[in-house]
Amino acid sequence: MQHWQHSSYEPYLPVTEKSNPITRDIDKASPKEIVEMLQKCDAEIFERTSHGNPMYQTLNSSSVVQTIVDVSKRVEVILKDPEDSLIVLSGCGTSGRVAFLLATSLNRWLASHHQKQIYSYIIAGGDKALLTSQETPEDDPLLGALTLGKACVGKKHVLFIGISCGLSAPFVAGQLDFCLRNLEIFTPVLIGFNPVDMARTEPIQNCSFHFKEVAERMNEMQKQQKAYVLNPAVGPEAISGSSRMKGGSATKIILETILLAGHEAAYSKKAVTFNGILHSLNMFEKVHQITYSQTKELAALVQKAAISLRKKGHVYYLGWQTLGIIGIIDASECIPTFGAGFEDIRGFVSNGFSEMNNKEGDLSSLGPHFIIDHKDFVDTILPNLSDNDTVIFLYSENDDLNEVSVLAKNVRQRTSNLHAIAHELKGLSDPERMRSQFMTVLTIKWPSSLYKHSPVLMKQYWELSTKWCLNAISTGAHVLIGKVYMNYMIDLRVTNSKLYRRAIHILQRFTGSTQAQCETALLRAIYDVEELSDEMSSTDVTQHTLVANKRGRVVPIALVMLQSRRTIAEAKSYLDAYSVIRDAVAACQRLL
Ligand code: F1P
């Protein structure tokens, strides 16, 4: 049995918030060890058995596979009769980004096959949230329900897939509740990675239900095949709670398995079967093995990225087609996850917003966070590029390699620190010429067996593989520059109720103080006061998070205050002496 599966292991936390024993010492690891730890953590997605622990189902458990079969059949029905029907994929943060990527990719596929485009995506906070973190709307169940209602006006059949890795987002709870009250139109599906028992029970503001209550109603309705819950446990995240990593990958795997099976049944007369689904899941496990077979090369990129960040340089991902979008997503998540500066890691995609194909169109007028085209990179970044910056190209043999070469030549004039992650299937016609353009190339060679299993899925495999590589690079680099203590990101932004609770837990974990003491210290840091007024103590969590959004280092400040009984001003100046949070926390641990 995995250590984290024991009932005594962090019993008050759901799986998605527990700390992973594999990465306990990630903050002291070498680049190669970091990649190996991430490889092991990601391998947990494919665990075959829950080792006799009835509490957990895994992705390969027969109940989970059977639910995937059932939902795939629903997809098939809708694809065969697309009039007045819709498949809506929805989530917050990373979950919404995965929803977007799949909905747009599959609509493109449908359009190219002269079929009606029946996919739609919803992300809390709208399209802005695809590129920046908009965590406040995640707490709003009514907004979730209203957005869903609007997206489905006039539809008679809607398959709604709501994703919340932690079974926690009120935005998604509101949507599922809306579906459950309108079952004549909606078939709701919930994807997440905790047992229903561990779903969030915190009361939601202005709302009669919490997440767990909705998840239980979903479970009830599953008995009549009117709703479905897909919630295998895939183990704790490598960086505690960072569901952009395993949560995002497992969501992508589950959704692609479901939707592809539905497509094959509708268009290739290949019936959805239990064994067919199992086989698809096995193929994704192969993608994991192939990607991580190059630990050394990946570790070298982690190291390069860390050196750039340490020297106050930057990391740039320049990707083609959806690999570019994967790069943009990974880069944008570093800001909320690691408190990174917006310039630290940035992504660009060939053809910018026309490649994104998002609902709200070109967002570049919204500001620098929304500048994503290669052309923008050439105009605004290239002139100032230096050897302190690491540039990583992301492409496959299906991309226009001449275009790749031209851009590589331009970049080389500014820096030799140019690398590539390249996906090859049949092999390039002139591999040496491509290789010579970069300092290093991490070539991922794909066996034809995967292609034969599903030519349609190759692009999705490459996306997942690229996601794993980039998650390793950006996480590893931030770990190496000291942003993480053990496997906790302590300096987290407290921008919604989930993150507020996580912050309190981290304070409890490291100070041994009571929940009430930790909450008080956190609030003092948020409001920047020594003494909380009655109004501050009695106001709701949403208000706290709105204020916290404007402040930096609230959790480290609260931690120092709790640990050393210092005032806020003293705690701040204590922290000022440390540029590395890990060092500050470690020193603070020694204070008592
Ligand atoms: C949604 C989410 C995460 C993000 C952060 C805040 O989580 O936006 O994607 O990384 O942790 O929450 P979930 O609803 O999928 O659990």
Side-chain angles (χ1 to χ4, degrees):
M1 192 186 289
Q2 301 288 351
H3 197 40
W4 59 263
Q5 290 184 340
H6 283 280
S7 54
S8 57
Y9 186 81
E10 302 180 355
Y12 301 109
L13 292 177
V15 181
T16 54
E17 291 286 323
K18 288 184 198 288
S19 68
N20 198 315
I22 297 170
T23 51
R24 217 192 109 87
D25 294 323
I26 196 168
D27 60 337
K28 298 190 198 99
S30 68
K32 185 155 174 290
E33 288 163 344
I34 291 177
V35 174
E36 284 165 356
M37 287 178 186
L38 297 180
Q39 171 178 16
K40 276 196 201 148
C41 266
D42 285 325
E44 287 182 325
I45 296 175
F46 304 101
E47 272 280 302
R48 286 278 175 292
T49 129
S50 56
H51 304 278
N53 188 338
M55 179 85 182
Y56 299 112
Q57 325 170 65
T58 69
L59 189 55
N60 285 287
S61 299
S62 45
S63 53
V64 173
V65 175
Q66 187 54 48
T67 307
I68 295 181
V69 169
D70 296 341
V71 179
S72 303
K73 287 183 178 165
R74 295 296 184 132
V75 172
E76 176 189 358
V77 169
I78 290 196
L79 288 170
K80 281 182 172 161
D81 183 14
E83 277 321 302
D84 305 322
S85 297
L86 204 57
I87 299 177
V88 182
L89 314 178
S90 173
C92 310
T94 305
S95 305
R97 294 177 197 121
V98 175
F100 148 77
L101 197 61
L102 276 176
T104 46
S105 286
L106 288 166
N107 270 345
R108 238 181 224 166
W109 186 92
L110 288 172
S112 69
H113 289 75
H114 311 291
Q115 302 289 340
K116 194 165 184 291
Q117 300 185 35
I118 46 102
Y119 290 97
S120 179
Y121 70 88
I122 296 175
I123 178 164
D127 277 1
K128 266 199 315 195
L130 295 172
L131 305 174
T132 56
S133 93
Q134 307 284 329
E135 278 146 354
T136 316
E138 296 185 12
D139 275 343
D140 193 339
L142 195 64
L143 181 65
L146 283 174
T147 318
L148 177 59
K150 256 195 213 153
C152 301
V153 172
K155 300 294 172 193
K156 295 201 176 111
H157 309 284
V158 178
L159 180 65
F160 171 75
I161 306 189
I163 312 148
S164 179
C165 297
L167 299 196
S168 60
F171 185 87
V172 174
Q175 295 178 321
L176 293 170
D177 171 70
F178 178 75
C179 294
L180 287 166
R181 285 187 287 108
N182 294 284
L183 284 172
E184 65 296 348
I185 295 178
F186 291 91
T187 305
V189 180
L190 164 61
I191 295 184
F193 304 102
N194 286 317
V196 166
D197 272 359
M198 292 183 176
R200 198 162 161 205
T201 50
E202 188 177 342
I204 304 176
Q205 227 188 327
N206 305 326
C207 196
S208 59
F209 51 84
H210 50 53
F211 206 107
K212 187 173 171 191
E213 192 269 330
V214 179
E216 281 168 348
R217 266 193 279 151
M218 293 280 298
N219 253 350
E220 248 339 276
M221 280 299 146
Q222 181 152 357
K223 291 179 190 150
Q224 300 167 43
Q225 302 253 313
K226 291 195 165 167
Y228 300 93
V229 182
L230 267 166
N231 60 334
V234 294
E237 294 288 351
I239 303 300
S240 310
S242 184
S243 53
R244 77 183 193 111
M245 302 182 79
K246 277 160 93 163
S249 305
T251 301
K252 200 167 176 325
I253 291 167
I254 292 178
L255 281 176
E256 280 162 7
T257 304
I258 291 174
L259 300 173
L260 182 84
H263 276 239
E264 288 194 324
Y267 303 123
S268 311
K269 299 202 168 42
K270 209 173 144 194
V272 182
T273 63
F274 188 93
N275 283 339
I277 295 294
L278 260 187
H279 187 60
S280 282
L281 295 174
N282 287 343
M283 291 295 135
F284 282 104
E285 190 172 8
K286 280 230 166 70
V287 176
H288 171 269
Q289 286 157 1
I290 291 167
T291 305
Y292 278 112
S293 63
Q294 312 218 33
T295 320
K296 215 171 91 217
E297 292 77 0
L298 191 49
L301 288 177
V302 170
Q303 174 84 307
K304 289 275 177 209
I307 293 172
S308 285
L309 294 186
R310 204 172 281 132
K311 289 184 178 161
K312 304 281 172 243
H314 312 94
V315 179
Y316 297 112
Y317 303 141
L318 294 178
W320 274 261
Q321 301 189 55
T322 45
L323 301 184
I325 300 177
I326 295 284
I328 291 174
I329 292 176
D330 182 86
S332 67
E333 289 168 347
C334 292
I335 304 169
T337 309
F338 301 108
F342 141 70
E343 299 282 356
D344 292 353
I345 302 193
R346 282 186 71 179
F348 295 88
V349 60
S350 52
N351 303 318
F353 281 96
S354 45
E355 178 61 47
M356 290 279 288
N357 207 14
N358 53 309
K359 282 198 284 205
E360 295 169 33
D362 189 333
L363 303 176
S364 53
S365 63
L366 293 181
H369 290 73
F370 301 90
I371 302 291
I372 54 164
D373 198 316
H374 283 182
K375 288 193 198 79
D376 301 314
F377 173 84
V378 171
D379 292 344
T380 60
I381 309 279
L382 192 62
N384 302 315
L385 207 63
S386 82
D387 280 337
N388 281 349
D389 303 317
T390 300
V391 182
I392 304 175
F393 277 31
L394 315 166
Y395 64 89
S396 78
E397 66 180 35
N398 287 352
D399 293 310
D400 179 344
L401 297 182
N402 272 333
E403 206 184 292
V404 176
S405 298
V406 170
L407 192 54
K409 194 166 156 221
N410 278 339
V411 172
R412 268 199 327 272
Q413 284 167 0
R414 294 276 162 194
T415 177
S416 55
N417 199 0
L418 171 62
H419 310 267
I421 298 175
H423 300 278
E424 278 183 22
L425 183 60
K426 297 180 197 99
L428 303 178
S429 52
D430 188 359
E432 270 323 303
R433 189 178 72 90
M434 277 322 275
R435 244 160 248 156
S436 65
Q437 326 233 12
F438 303 95
M439 187 185 270
T440 64
V441 183
L442 198 174
T443 308
I444 308 187
K445 290 208 163 86
W446 296 91
S448 52
S449 58
L450 275 177
Y451 179 76
K452 274 194 209 117
H453 167 68
S454 170
V456 184
L457 261 186
M458 262 343 271
K459 194 164 84 76
Q460 270 78 21
Y461 291 153
W462 292 343
E463 286 168 11
L464 179 62
S465 172
T466 307
K467 178 182 184 294
W468 270 322
C469 291
L470 300 188
N471 283 173
I473 291 169
S474 58
T475 302
H478 282 101
V479 168
L480 287 171
I481 63 166
K483 290 283 182 183
V484 166
Y485 182 69
M486 296 174 72
N487 51 8
Y488 290 90
M489 179 54 210
I490 290 198
D491 192 9
L492 73 156
R493 288 197 333 174
V494 186
T495 44
N496 66 25
S497 60
K498 176 176 86 173
L499 301 171
Y500 181 81
R501 294 290 160 216
R502 187 182 300 162
I504 293 172
H505 170 74
I506 288 177
L507 291 171
Q508 283 183 266
R509 161 79 179 73
F510 287 105
T511 67
S513 307
T514 64
Q515 186 179 336
Q517 287 166 330
C518 293
E519 185 159 12
T520 303
L522 180 65
L523 288 175
R524 280 171 58 202
I526 289 176
Y527 289 101
D528 200 16
V529 292
E530 294 300 347
E531 201 66 50
L532 291 174
S533 68
D534 289 347
E535 197 192 334
M536 288 168 187
S537 309
S538 59
T539 191
D540 55 57
V541 174
T542 309
Q543 184 55 31
H544 300 328
T545 57
L546 287 174
V547 179
N549 207 355
K550 298 187 209 113
R551 295 238 200 278
R553 301 188 303 180
V554 289
V555 184
I557 290 171
L559 186 99
V560 175
M561 287 195 300
L562 283 163
Q563 197 78 345
S564 64
R565 313 213 186 291
R566 290 175 193 222
T567 62
I568 290 221
E570 286 165 350
K572 280 186 188 165
S573 67
Y574 174 88
L575 286 169
D576 286 343
Y578 293 92
S579 58
V580 173
I581 287 288
R582 182 181 66 192
D583 295 345
V585 178
C588 185
Q589 293 291 94
R590 292 193 292 268
L591 284 177
L592 275 188

